[in-house]
């Protein structure tokens, strides 16, 4: 029985949909884009930001994660095909990313700031979803490693730097554009790649080998080419493995299963087996790690970028929610404690974005032959990879909590972001690996410490708390053991972020960051900024509509 006026489901006190919105509406990002030499790309970044925040692109991200990739090992007749099928939304995301130059395109552009523009593009296009950033990142990173073998680079680099997305397995040179992946990790070794047991046997043809082994994590198995590590007669070496051989036959790339992962579920991660798999040597035998390390440096930068993107995306989501929801007689946004939480998150987000773009600027200048930036990039990328990706999960959890129970519901999108966040600390070396890498660089390459402290010196005298932290850091560098590597790298990261904010951010942002992160006027959770922090100024910069 129905009664007039008895409706019980009128929706009130809920925010409207966020989309459409402008994912590039981030002052810190646009300032960094100009500062690092890619101001010429601002119009394109703004256009991409509007596209990323559109209802259509946001739906692509949702659908690509709800309809996960499926492995098809055999066709209907029993022939081995080893293919992975994706929802159309995955292809929409990939096509947009490749067309916008977020894969290998910067290596083909003779323009200062090209790599910065790509990173900034990732910071805004990443608002759609994170999984498809894996194959674009690996494609970008494959170029400098492939250049160790010029004859291979001559064939494949023009296709890897193409802005054309052409899915499907075909002879690589018959396609308009290629994607690259990599396979280093094996189940017995993990990050200790020198223990890899995959073997590479030379053939009668110079530079051509056959591989036999099992890779434990190989993401994006539908890429066209893979850089893999295997044990050759001369030691651990790097090889190029195409999915389809020049004669049109399928290379042996037996996908045993797809990983059932915590997050990054739109992207397929696989366990391929090699048996008589044809591969071409990249770089000298026995120098596999040295050859592929440049690829790792590039993908580590992308881990920092993707973490910063998740921070910004979830901050925007939280800000939108609290702007439109009320509790206890006032908007959540107007509640003093909620403003403290949001302002604290805003500081973390701006510091991550600013550091990301500084690292991208270094990478761009190194790619154009600036040897002075190489030492800084060597240590600062590992520092950023350790710290920014470590902050991601805690940040995302706090942003989710701003939505309360609504944020815990899958359709809010926040659970997907939360599941994604830990991956970026694991991919390309977990926390310990990166912390020890920093320590190793300090001990073996004196120029890295000089480059880091040279960067920090640019802010000397601007903030007493930063000066004190730098003094303490110099003392720790001289005496830190392996067991203390994490503490050392954490202080490095905070000092580096603070120095960048002191030099480039408004006083309210720099002061609150230094007071909390370096001065000790902070709690153990977000939302514990000191009373003196100018929350209004911080929020007005991070979320302009919140002022």
């Amino acid at each position: 029985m129905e009664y007039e006026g008895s409706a019980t489901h009128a929706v009130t006190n809920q925010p409207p949909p966020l989309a459409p919105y402008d994912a590039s509406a981030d002052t810190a990002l646009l300032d960094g884009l100009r500062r690092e030499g890619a101001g010429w790309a601002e119009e394109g970044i703004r256009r991409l930001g509007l596209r990323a925040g559109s209802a259509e692109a946001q739906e692509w991200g949702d659908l690509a994660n709800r309809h996960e990739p499926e492995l098809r090992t055999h066709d209907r007749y029993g022939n081995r095909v080893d293919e992975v099928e994706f929802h159309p939304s995955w292809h929409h995301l990939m096509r947009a990313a490749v067309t916008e130059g977020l894969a290998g395109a910067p290596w083909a552009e003779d323009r200062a700031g090209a790599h910065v523009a790509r990173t900034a593009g990732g910071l805004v296009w990443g608002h759609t979803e994170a999984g498809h950033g894996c194959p674009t990142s690996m494609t970008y990173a494959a170029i400098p490693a492939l250049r160790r073998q010029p004859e291979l680079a001559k064939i494949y680099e023009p296709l890897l730097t193409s802005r054309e997305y052409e899915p499907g397995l075909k002879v690589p040179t018959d396609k308009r554009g290629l994607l690259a992946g990599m396979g280093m990790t094996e189940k017995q070794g993990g990050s200790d790649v020198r223990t890899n047991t995959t073997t590479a046997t030379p053939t009668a043809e110079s530079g051509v080998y056959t591989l036999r082994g099992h890779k434990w994590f190989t993401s994006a198995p539908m890429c066209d080419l893979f850089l893999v590590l295997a044990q050759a007669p001369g030691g651990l070496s790097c090889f190029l493995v195409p999915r389809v051989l020049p004669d049109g036959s399928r290379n042996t790339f037996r996908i045993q299963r797809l990983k059932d992962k915590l997050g990054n579920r739109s992207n397929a991660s696989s366990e391929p087996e090699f048996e008589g798999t044809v591969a071409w040597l990249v770089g000298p035998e026995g120098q596999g790690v040295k050859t592929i390390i440049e690829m790792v440096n590039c993908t580590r930068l992308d881990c920092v970028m993707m973490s910063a993107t998740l921070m910004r995306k979830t901050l925007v989501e939280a800000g939108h929610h609290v702007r439109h929801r009320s509790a206890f007689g006032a908007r959540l946004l107007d509640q003093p404690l909620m403003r403290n939480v949001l302002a604290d998150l805003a500081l973390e987000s701006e510091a991550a974005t600013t550091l990301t773009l500084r690292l991208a600027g270094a990478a761009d200048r190194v790619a154009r032959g600036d040897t002075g930036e190489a030492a800084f990039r060597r240590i600062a990328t590992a520092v950023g990879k350790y710290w920014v990706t470590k902050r991601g999960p805690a940040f995302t959890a706090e942003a989710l909590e701003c939505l309360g129970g609504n944020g815990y519901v899958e359709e809010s999108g926040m659970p997907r972001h939360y599941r994604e966040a830990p991956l970026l600390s694991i991919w390309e070396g977990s926390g310990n690996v990166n912390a020890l890498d920093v320590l190793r660089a300090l001990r073996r390459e004196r120029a890295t410490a000089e480059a880091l402290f040279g960067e920090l010196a640019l802010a000397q005298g601007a903030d007493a708390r930063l000066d004190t932290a730098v003094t303490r850091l110099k003392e720790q560098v001289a005496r830190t053991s392996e067991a203390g590597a994490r503490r050392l790298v954490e202080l490095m990261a905070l000092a580096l972020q603070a120095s960048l904010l002191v030099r480039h951010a408004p006083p309210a942002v720099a002061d609150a960051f230094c007071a909390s992160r370096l001065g000790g006027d902070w709690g153990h959770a977000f939302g514990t900024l000191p009373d003196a922090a100018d929350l209004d100024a911080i929020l007005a910069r991070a979320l302009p509509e919140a002022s």
Side-chain angles (χ1 to χ4, degrees):
M1 181 178 295
E2 295 184 4
Y3 297 93
E4 186 177 351
S6 65
T8 61
H9 296 291
V11 177
T12 60
N13 198 27
Q14 290 286 354
L18 172 61
Y21 73 101
D22 183 359
S24 69
D26 179 359
T27 304
L29 185 154
L30 296 174
D31 285 352
L33 179 75
R34 302 180 198 112
R35 186 170 57 249
E36 296 299 336
W40 52 265
E42 183 171 341
E43 182 179 349
I45 294 299
R46 287 181 175 273
R47 173 183 50 76
L48 185 60
L50 290 171
R51 189 179 184 190
S54 69
E56 179 183 49
Q58 291 297 305
E59 184 179 27
W60 289 345
D62 177 56
L63 291 172
N65 280 273
R66 284 200 284 122
H67 301 280
E68 298 178 17
E70 297 181 1
L71 173 62
R72 190 162 67 95
T73 56
H74 298 76
D75 66 15
R76 59 178 290 194
Y77 305 106
N79 299 305
R80 188 95 195 199
V81 293
D82 296 293
E83 295 183 356
V84 180
E85 296 177 347
F86 294 86
H87 188 270
S89 290
W90 168 269
H91 296 297
H92 294 326
L93 291 164
M94 285 294 303
R95 183 168 290 105
V98 173
T99 301
E100 293 290 345
L102 305 186
W107 298 106
E109 297 179 14
D110 185 20
R111 187 173 195 177
H115 296 267
V116 176
R118 174 193 172 270
T119 299
L123 285 165
V124 297
W125 185 247
H127 281 236
T128 56
E129 77 92 38
H132 76 292
C134 178
T136 57
S137 177
M138 292 189 296
T139 302
Y140 169 70
I143 302 297
L146 191 61
R147 286 176 174 176
R148 296 291 298 274
Q149 205 71 30
E151 62 270 24
L152 293 177
K154 183 179 180 180
I155 297 170
Y156 295 114
E157 185 173 329
L159 295 167
L160 290 168
T161 58
S162 167
R163 290 179 181 246
E164 297 234 20
Y165 173 63
E166 185 179 346
L169 296 179
K170 293 171 59 177
V171 175
T173 52
D174 289 345
K175 298 183 73 172
R176 300 186 304 274
L178 301 178
L179 296 173
M182 65 177 169
M184 295 193 294
T185 306
E186 296 184 3
K187 51 193 169 185
Q188 81 288 343
S191 297
D192 187 7
V193 296
R194 295 187 186 278
T195 65
N196 284 4
T197 59
T198 295
T199 58
T201 303
T203 68
E205 184 178 351
S206 176
V208 181
Y209 294 65
T210 56
L211 308 185
R212 186 176 189 278
H214 183 144
K215 294 297 179 180
W216 190 235
F217 264 102
T218 299
S219 284
M222 290 304 290
C223 287
D224 303 284
L225 310 167
F226 292 83
L227 290 177
V228 305
L229 295 178
Q231 300 287 357
L236 189 66
S237 307
C238 181
F239 296 90
L240 179 73
V241 175
R243 285 295 314 266
V244 179
L245 295 171
D247 64 4
S249 62
R250 295 282 181 96
N251 206 359
T252 304
F253 194 98
R254 295 181 184 145
I255 304 174
Q256 301 299 65
R257 61 172 174 167
L258 299 184
K259 296 292 193 179
D260 188 7
K261 299 172 292 183
L262 170 67
N264 202 248
R265 299 188 71 90
S266 68
N267 175 44
S269 297
S270 67
E271 287 182 42
E273 280 195 355
F274 303 144
E275 187 172 3
T277 302
V278 181
W280 280 258
L281 181 66
V282 179
E285 268 197 19
Q287 295 188 24
V289 173
K290 185 176 181 179
T291 299
I292 212 168
I293 196 65
E294 184 61 23
M295 187 175 191
V296 172
N297 284 333
C298 291
T299 48
R300 281 181 175 177
L301 169 60
D302 278 6
C303 286
V304 182
M305 178 263 287
M306 292 176 193
S307 288
T309 304
L310 271 177
M311 290 182 188
R312 179 64 189 174
K313 168 66 170 173
T314 54
L315 174 62
V316 169
E317 294 275 4
H320 177 74
H321 181 87
V322 303
R323 183 177 294 124
H324 293 281
R325 189 165 174 84
S326 298
F328 308 110
R331 287 191 311 166
L332 287 177
L333 180 60
D334 297 329
Q335 306 279 7
L337 190 52
M338 180 59 79
R339 293 180 71 78
N340 195 311
V341 170
L342 283 176
D344 209 350
L345 292 174
L347 291 178
E348 195 75 29
S349 176
E350 176 155 356
T353 297
T354 303
L355 177 56
T356 297
L357 291 167
R358 174 65 182 94
L359 296 176
D364 188 84
R365 289 183 277 276
V366 170
R368 290 185 292 110
D370 187 337
T371 57
E373 283 277 75
F376 173 78
R377 180 198 180 209
R378 167 71 181 90
I379 192 168
T381 300
V383 168
K385 167 62 169 73
Y386 172 84
W387 183 243
V388 175
T389 64
K390 272 271 180 279
R391 300 297 290 155
F395 184 105
T396 309
E398 195 67 60
L400 183 156
E401 190 175 323
C402 291
L403 277 66
N406 293 321
Y408 203 67
V409 176
E410 194 68 39
E411 63 188 357
S412 74
M414 284 295 205
R416 168 158 61 93
H417 305 322
Y418 183 58
R419 289 192 299 269
E420 187 73 31
L423 167 66
L424 299 166
S425 184
I426 297 169
W427 187 25
E428 300 306 8
S430 59
N432 284 356
V433 170
N434 278 271
L436 292 174
D437 189 30
V438 171
L439 205 60
R440 189 179 307 111
L442 290 171
R443 291 172 175 173
R444 297 180 181 177
E445 304 168 44
R446 181 180 178 84
T448 58
E450 294 174 352
L452 179 67
F453 286 112
E455 178 78 12
L456 295 175
L458 296 176
Q460 186 174 356
D463 188 285
R465 294 158 299 196
L466 175 57
D467 291 344
T468 299
V470 172
T471 299
R472 189 165 75 251
L473 180 59
K474 289 178 178 178
E475 295 171 353
Q476 288 192 18
V477 165
R479 57 180 171 79
T480 296
S481 65
E482 283 195 7
R486 283 188 174 218
R487 293 191 66 175
L488 174 68
V489 178
E490 177 177 325
L491 182 56
M492 279 184 181
L494 291 173
L496 182 54
Q497 288 181 323
S499 72
L500 291 168
L501 295 179
V502 164
R503 290 161 56 201
H504 304 303
V509 172
D511 181 71
F513 188 91
C514 290
S516 55
R517 275 64 171 175
L518 297 179
D521 198 356
W522 200 29
H524 293 286
F526 287 108
T528 54
L529 292 177
D531 289 342
D534 190 344
L535 305 185
D536 292 343
I538 295 169
L539 288 174
R541 176 173 171 82
L543 302 169
E545 295 178 40
S547 57

